[in-house]
Amino acid sequence: MSAQPAERGGGRLGLPPMDTVQELRAALRAGHGFPGDAERLDAELAEQLLRRVPMDRLDQVDQVPAVVDLVAVAEIVAAYRGRVLLAADRETSDAVDQAVADLLARQGAE
């Protein structure tokens, strides 16, 4: 199954393509998204991709939690692609900033 054009990052809001993990990483490293996103993406992917099954449990792989949870990897990639799109949409970004400011103001008032 492939992503539909409406879900792809390239071309929308003047953003580079983000159809692969490498393209997404390149977009984040080029300054798209939010500060620190490139490093957080790498850390989250590493956490999922570097899981290992201990050698003494290889015969029990079907009983060990997923070695690489590809659904989790896909969710991480989708979340960071969404963050790039959110940061690029000025109206949405301003609305999020305002909501955060409102929440912080309410917390300070309590």
Side-chain angles (χ1 to χ4, degrees), residues 9 40 72 80 102:
R40 281 191 295 275
Y80 280 91
D102 291 348

Side-chain angles (χ1 to χ4, degrees), residues 70-80:
L70 295 179
V71 170
V73 170
E75 289 172 349
I76 292 167
V77 170
Y80 280 91

Side-chain angles (χ1 to χ4, degrees), residues 44-54 65-69 72:
E44 289 184 38
L45 288 175
E47 182 180 335
Q48 287 299 323
L49 296 174
L50 297 179
R51 293 178 184 219
R52 302 279 190 249
V53 175
V67 177
V68 174
D69 184 348

Side-chain angles (χ1 to χ4, degrees), residues 2-12 16-19 81 85:
S2 63
Q4 299 301 314
E7 297 173 2
R8 293 177 180 237
R12 291 178 28 200
M18 295 182 290
D19 299 325
R81 186 180 294 127
L85 293 170

